[in-house]
């Protein structure tokens, strides 16, 4: 298939290009580079041996999107484009709602005008809020999101569900990612956050490389085995491969389909620190800090539905994730 990746120069998008190419698909990327660099696409070219077509444009630009669909015959779209920093979304709600929602509306309109009705959406475990069921299945009711970023994911899911209901020709796959970390084994592509990282793994790797003094562990009084927050960390290459498998649902005309993409295993913050130290033979200095506002104790999924229906399951473990995250960081201490 010929697949358009919006936001394809970003962290998950760049890894997904590699997996799609491996599976024999063709890729076109559109990105405005607001949170990425074209260098990630040059690195991808080194891995797959060819440069993928790249359109530098904002997905909110309807003329640019219509031109793109005129120029390329696109069979399906994977929509990675969006702003994703939780804290920033609280400070700049209008910018987040406007970018994430509008980009999706403009894209969907250009798609239907060009009769391309196959759509994969990057959603998040954040839509479950403080989950009612652990491990989380897709039947778990959605919960209250505590920030505008999470609300854009939850609202766009509703928009897509309504669109598919109104026009059953659409195939819509909502992929709810758990916590992607790690990097491609080559060390050429990986996570490249701007400024001080919000997420755990980039904070650990930047501490290990000496860019940060120590990791702050946000709370050790949660109702978890060691008191620190438990999450379902998933290797970004496994997650990327989940998109290849999601295309199978599209091929068999799934209508609406929702999948959790996680490993099904929970690791605490201190488990991740220990695994990182063991995998890389390094020490990560840390100290216990107060809880972070909006955090929950435990979040991990039951990934059985994706296995049964897509034949997808994660194959990498936490030490692989730690090894590959560090490999990218040490090869690229200042990022791209
Ligand atoms: P990323 O920031 O690395 O990638 C997103 C890309 O979208 C960036 O390259 C950015 O430049 C681009 N972009 C943003 N707005 C755009 C616009 N209006 N027009 C064109 N391009 C635009 O983030 P990522 O980690 O690769 O995440 C990809 C998607 O997955 C996002 O939608 C994110 O919300 C979602 N997601 C990520 C995680 C995670 O932990 N990384 C978890 C759940 C969901
Ligand atoms: C966060 C977002 C979520 C988003 C996801 C991916 C919040 C509340 N949630 O998930 O909406 O989809 O990122 O972008 O921000 N931790 C530390 N020290 C740190 C960083 C994190 O102890 O410096 C802890 C956190 O308290 C948590 C765990 O590590 O227990 C994972 O945190 P993080 O990587 O930010 O992911 P989430 O909070 O699960």
């Amino acid at each position: 298939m010929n697949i358009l990746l919006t936001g394809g120069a970003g962290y998950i998008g760049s890894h997904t290009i590699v997996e799609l190419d491996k599976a024999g698909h063709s890729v076109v990327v559109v990105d405005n580079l607001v949170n990425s660099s074209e260098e990630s696409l040059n690195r991808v070219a080194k891995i797959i041996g060819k440069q993928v077509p790249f359109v530098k444009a904002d997905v909110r630009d309807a003329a640019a999107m219509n031109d793109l669909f005129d120029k390329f015959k696109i069979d399906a779209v994977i929509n990675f484009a969006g702003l994703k920093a939780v804290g920033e979304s609280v400070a700049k709600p209008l910018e987040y709602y406007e970018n994430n929602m509008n980009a999706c509306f403009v894209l969907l309109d250009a798609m239907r005008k060009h009769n391309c009705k196959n759509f994969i959406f990057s959603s998040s475990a954040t839509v479950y809020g403080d989950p009612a069921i652990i491990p989380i299945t897709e039947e778990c009711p959605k919960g209250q999101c505590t920030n505008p970023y999470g609300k854009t994911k939850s609202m766009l899911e509703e928009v897509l569900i309504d669109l598919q209901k109104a026009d059953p020709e659409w195939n819509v796959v909502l992929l709810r990612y758990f916590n992607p970390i790690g990097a491609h084994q080559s060390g050429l592509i990986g996570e490249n956050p701007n400024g001080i990282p919000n997420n755990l793994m980039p904070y650990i790797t930047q501490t290990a490389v000496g860019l940060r003094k120590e990791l702050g562990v946000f709370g050790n009084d949660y109702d978890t085995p060691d008191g620190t927050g438990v999450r379902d960390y998933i290797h970004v290459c496994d997650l990327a491969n989940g998109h290849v498998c999601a295309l199978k649902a599209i091929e068999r005309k799934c209508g609406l389909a929702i999948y959790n993409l996680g490993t099904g295993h929970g690791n605490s913050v201190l488990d991740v620190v220990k695994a990182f130290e063991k995998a890389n033979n390094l020490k990560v200095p840390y100290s216990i800090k107060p809880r972070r506002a909006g955090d929950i104790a435990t979040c991990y999924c039951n990934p059985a539905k994706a296995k049964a229906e897509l034949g997808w399951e994660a194959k990498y473990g936490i030490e692989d994730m730690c090894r590959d995250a560090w490999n990218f960081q040490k090869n690229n201490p200042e990022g791209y």
Side-chain angles (χ1 to χ4, degrees):
M1 283 202 257
N2 206 16
I3 318 292
L4 174 66
L5 267 55
T6 74
Y11 173 47
I12 302 171
S14 55
H15 289 81
T16 302
I17 302 172
V18 174
E19 296 300 318
L20 287 167
D21 179 73
K22 219 191 281 174
H25 297 289
S26 305
V27 173
V28 177
V29 168
V30 58
D31 201 304
N32 63 1
L33 305 179
V34 65
N35 195 41
S36 54
S37 143
E38 207 174 333
E39 178 58 16
S40 68
L41 299 175
N42 298 332
R43 304 284 184 92
V44 166
K46 283 194 183 149
I47 298 170
I48 67 173
K50 60 174 179 261
Q51 205 79 35
V52 297
F54 170 55
V55 177
K56 183 174 182 297
D58 194 302
V59 180
R60 291 169 295 174
D61 179 343
M65 294 311 293
N66 282 305
D67 280 355
L68 191 157
F69 280 94
D70 286 340
K71 189 164 164 210
F72 298 96
K73 162 89 189 76
I74 303 292
D75 300 306
V77 175
I78 307 180
N79 186 31
F80 295 111
L83 300 174
K84 63 161 187 178
V86 170
E88 189 183 55
S89 80
V90 175
K92 298 180 177 173
L94 205 50
E95 281 77 3
Y96 268 66
Y97 287 120
E98 199 280 323
N99 187 73
N100 292 4
M101 308 291 296
N102 247 352
C104 205
F105 296 154
V106 169
L107 175 63
L108 292 166
D109 190 45
M111 286 179 69
R112 75 175 163 186
K113 283 188 178 130
H114 292 80
N115 203 31
C116 173
K117 296 186 175 178
N118 296 318
F119 194 75
I120 298 178
F121 180 62
S122 296
S123 190
S124 167
T126 198
V127 302
Y128 293 112
D130 197 351
I133 307 166
I134 293 281
I136 304 169
T137 64
E138 291 79 358
E139 279 70 46
C140 178
K142 292 204 321 188
Q144 188 58 42
C145 296
T146 54
N147 57 78
Y149 161 73
K151 288 179 192 169
T152 66
K153 293 292 172 199
S154 193
M155 290 192 292
L156 285 169
E157 282 200 356
E158 299 306 314
V159 169
L160 289 162
I161 289 169
D162 286 344
L163 172 66
Q164 199 282 327
K165 205 185 289 171
D167 179 357
E169 279 182 14
W170 280 87
N171 296 300
V172 169
V173 185
L174 307 179
L175 297 180
R176 293 175 176 162
Y177 309 158
F178 280 68
N179 289 56
I181 59 170
H184 189 262
Q185 279 87 346
S186 63
L188 286 167
I189 53 172
E191 192 168 9
N192 187 38
N194 282 330
I196 301 172
N198 300 301
N199 296 116
L200 178 63
M201 184 51 82
Y203 210 103
I204 290 179
T205 58
Q206 290 198 6
T207 304
V209 88
L211 290 172
R212 314 275 157 215
K213 203 164 109 308
E214 63 171 14
L215 170 73
V217 173
F218 298 145
N220 66 348
D221 56 354
Y222 285 104
D223 183 15
T224 62
D226 66 16
T228 68
V230 168
R231 297 290 183 275
D232 189 334
Y233 297 95
I234 172 169
H235 196 294
V236 67
C237 293
D238 276 332
L239 184 74
N241 185 245
H243 297 78
V244 178
C245 294
L247 289 172
K248 291 185 201 158
I250 294 218
E251 271 168 348
R252 63 157 198 272
K253 306 214 176 306
C254 59
L256 172 72
I258 305 179
Y259 298 103
N260 287 336
L261 294 184
T263 63
H265 301 291
N267 279 291
S268 73
V269 177
L270 295 180
D271 289 338
V272 178
V273 171
K274 278 184 218 133
F276 187 89
E277 292 183 333
K278 184 165 171 228
N280 299 308
N281 201 18
L282 282 166
K283 275 280 165 219
V284 179
Y286 71 85
S287 66
I288 306 297
K289 295 277 191 284
R291 290 181 177 196
R292 180 172 68 179
D295 271 355
I296 55 174
T298 303
C299 177
Y300 60 92
C301 77
N302 176 344
K305 188 179 177 203
K307 184 174 182 187
E309 295 185 11
L310 303 177
W312 174 85
E313 69 184 320
K315 59 177 193 229
Y316 296 109
I318 192 73
E319 285 191 21
D320 302 312
M321 302 177 212
C322 291
R323 181 199 60 222
D324 294 336
W326 176 238
N327 187 34
F328 177 72
Q329 179 76 69
K330 74 170 191 263
N331 288 330
N332 305 272
E334 308 291 334
Y336 287 122

